[in-house]
Each structure stands twice: as structure tokens, then as C-alpha cells.
Amino acid sequence: MDYTPVTPFRRKVDAAILKHQATARQDLPPTGANKWEALRELAAARVAFGLSDRDMSVLQVLVSFHPGTILGGNEDNLIVHPSNKAICERLNGMPCSTMRRHLGNLVQIGFVVRRDSPNGKRYARRYGDDKIAFGFDLSPLVRRFQEVCEAAEAVRAAKERYKRLRATVSLMRRDLAGLAEYGRAQRPDLGVWDRFSDIAVLVARDLRRKLDMAELKRIEGDLSLALNEARDRIDPSETEEMSTSDDDIEQHYQNSNKDSYDFEPCLKKAGGAGDALVPTPSATKDTERDDEEDLEPPDIGDDKLPNIPLGLVLAACREFRTYCESPVRHWHDLVRVADILRPMMGISPSAWDDAKRHMGPEEAAVVVVAMLERFTEIQSSGGYLRSLTDKAAVGAFSCGPMVMALMRRDAA
């Protein structure tokens, strides 16, 4: 065709239409674009371009009139000329007035360009090898394909961030509710647990509706402050004292692991030329006792205790109770149980000793009873413990996340 019109037939012209007409006269990308892929990407980013789902339905029908799969080549090959009746039939009987309204929106946004004939009719004529067509030009789908793909990726990334943030808020709410229930049982003298429970209930109610990113970030900040306060209220030393009675203090500790170096008699160097190792008076006294006689529990400093309450460990880990002869009320009781479990779980004495040396006996015991909860999921208990020991050796390990993960799994 010798001339390409820029004004529609008997319709007003505005700046947007002239802009899209000028853009449509630019050269097409040589590779073209798959029309169905272009529609999928545009459907994902339709909100960013101001398109509704019914706008997309009309555009999909227009694209369906193009015989090829790849949109490309010269402009005449990208012009479709269906009648209004044919378009409405493929739209499952959509009223013609509704169809024209959505079609006008596609033209205004610039994904369809009108190529009207002198009398406004849509048709195609062949003059030898030349083809002249009047109708709807689909070339903007090809020219704007890269722009559409980038917008679709941005929309998908925003949806993924929203999904992750919503999941994070949901998990934080659940943890706050669980810590409030646990704190109410351990520290009933404090009056903050009802407030934490109320926050969790209100957040659960808010999550039932559609929240925007700003609201979710605000809720995440509130939950983070509440969780930090709840953890500060649950003090390890205070929690242990709450669960300890006078009768418990009178109980003795019996060493069931003869290979453990933590509770063996200590040796010191004696002065002299040979610097021979001789037992201390307390060690001599211990060696004179009968092997079946109980030993006093060792003195465990607060600085060696794990950064998680003993009561929380007992609440999250229950499998080890099968192997206990008496209830676990002190950290040294848990270490004794871990000494019993260690050979049953296939953990070598050297791996156990390394874990106690780098983690401390109490934290190593927490790791062992936590591993027992997921024993069927761990292929090699000894190798798993050694990997955690290596992290603890460089200060990159804490048993707290393991216990909290078990609590979240039980609450799910």
C-alpha cells in the first residue's frame, strides 16, 4: 500500500492514538514474537498496563484470527480484519457494545492499532503479489514484547516477595502464640502473656483479608518487637528455678558413661623433677568409692548453659523420655540421657567428645535429643553431629533454631 492512514474512520483523534500510530510505523524486530507467549506475558503484567481481564479476552480473540504462530514480517501480515459479529461469536456471545468498549481500551493503551479503510470497512484485497488489508494491526504486540516481558517479571518478583513476607508474618504469629502459652505456664506471675496472645489473635484476623505490602511490613515489625520481648521474659535461669524443687536438688547424679572425660577425676601436676601427674585429694576420695556409689552433680556455670530454657527443650523433644528412668529436671540429667542415647544412635565416642568440647555438654545434649526427634530423616547421625560440631568450633552454631523448628513442626 502506498499510504498508511493514521486517523480512524469517523472517530476522534487524540495524542495517545497519534503516538501509538507513530510507534507502529517503526521497524519490527527481526525475530518476531510468539503470539501465545506474548499473550501469556501480557496477562501476567496486565494490571501494570491498565488492562482488565475482559480486555485480554478481546485481544486474545483478535490474535486468534492471525493464521501464524509467530508474529513478524511486514505490517500487512499482522493486520486481521474480522467483523464485529465474528469477534463476538468467539467471545461466547459478548454484546457488541461491550466488545467495542474493550477494543477501544486496547487501542487507547496501544496494543492494537486501527487501520481503517476509506469507508471504515475491514477487508483485504490482492493486487498481484501485493496484499492490502484494513482492520486491526497487531504489530504493537511484537514491538512491545520486550517491555511486556520485563513488566511481567517485575510483577512476578513482587508477588513472590509478598508471598514470602506473608508466610513470614504467619510463622511469627504462630511463634508468638506458642511462646505466650509457654510463658503463661512457666511464669504465671507476669501479666504480659495475655497481651502477646491478643497480638497473635489480631494478626490472625488481619491475615484473613488481602493486605498490601506496607501493612504486612508494619505487622512484621510489631511481631518482631513482641517476639523479642517474649524471649527476654523467658529467662533460662529463672525458668530452671521455677521447675526445680527442694527434693530435686537432693537428687544425685550417676555417671553412666565411663568414657566421658567431663566427670572423670581431675589430675594435677605435682611439684618435682618429673612433674608426675597425681590425683587431687578429691579425686583420690572418689576413686576409693564403690563404682555403684552416686556422685554429686557437677557445678555447671550459667555461662555454659544453652541460650534456650530447659523447659522449652523438654516441651519440643519427647522421644528421649522412653529411655529415661527418671524425669529430667536439670541440665546434667539431660547430659546423662544423651550419654545413653549416643551409642544407640550410632554416634562414636570421639564425635560425642568433640561435640561436648566445642558446644559444651549441655548444648551437645540438646542437639542429640533434637536429632532423635528426626532420627528417621538423618542418614548418618555421627556425620550430622560432626558437621554441627565444626560450625560450633567457629562460633557459627546455636541449638535454639533446632528446638524452635521442632516446636513449629509440632504446632503445624
Side-chain angles (χ1 to χ4, degrees), residues 96-125:
C96 188
S97 59
T98 304
M99 183 274 295
R100 289 198 302 267
R101 185 173 67 253
H102 294 297
L103 187 57
N105 193 32
L106 290 170
V107 173
Q108 193 70 23
I109 294 175
F111 283 101
V112 173
V113 174
R114 293 184 185 271
R115 301 296 188 191
D116 289 347
S117 65
N119 61 359
K121 300 296 183 180
R122 304 170 198 147
Y123 60 86
R125 293 287 187 271

Side-chain angles (χ1 to χ4, degrees), residues 122-169:
R122 304 170 198 147
Y123 60 86
R125 293 287 187 271
R126 281 197 174 274
Y127 300 95
D129 294 335
D130 295 334
K131 178 182 178 181
I132 299 176
F134 296 98
F136 302 109
D137 189 354
L138 302 178
S139 61
L141 271 179
V142 183
R143 293 186 176 88
R144 303 181 67 178
F145 179 67
Q146 187 63 33
E147 175 190 357
V148 170
C149 291
E150 293 174 358
E153 286 300 318
V155 169
R156 292 189 184 102
K159 287 183 178 179
E160 184 64 26
R161 289 194 299 270
Y162 179 86
K163 183 179 178 180
R164 291 200 303 266
L165 181 57
R166 189 178 179 89
T168 299
V169 168

Side-chain angles (χ1 to χ4, degrees), residues 313-331:
V313 176
L314 301 181
C317 306
R318 302 182 181 90
E319 293 294 331
F320 73 92
R321 298 178 184 177
T322 307
Y323 308 94
C324 294
E325 297 179 357
S326 59
V328 173
R329 295 187 175 90
H330 305 276
W331 284 112

Side-chain angles (χ1 to χ4, degrees), residues 244-252 296-297 330:
T244 304
S245 62
D246 294 338
D247 295 335
D248 298 333
I249 297 176
E250 294 176 358
Q251 293 186 358
H252 296 283
E296 292 294 333
H330 305 276

Side-chain angles (χ1 to χ4, degrees), residues 261-323:
Y261 63 87
D262 295 277
F263 306 124
E264 290 180 353
C266 57
L267 301 177
K268 70 176 183 179
K269 288 186 177 181
D275 286 339
L277 292 176
V278 298
T280 61
S282 59
T284 305
K285 183 178 179 181
D286 287 340
T287 55
E288 292 175 355
R289 294 180 180 178
D290 186 75
D291 291 340
E292 298 180 355
E293 186 176 354
D294 294 338
L295 300 177
E296 292 294 333
D299 184 17
I300 302 176
D302 290 340
D303 56 335
K304 296 182 181 181
L305 295 177
N307 60 350
I308 191 169
L310 177 61
L312 200 60
V313 176
L314 301 181
C317 306
R318 302 182 181 90
E319 293 294 331
F320 73 92
R321 298 178 184 177
T322 307
Y323 308 94

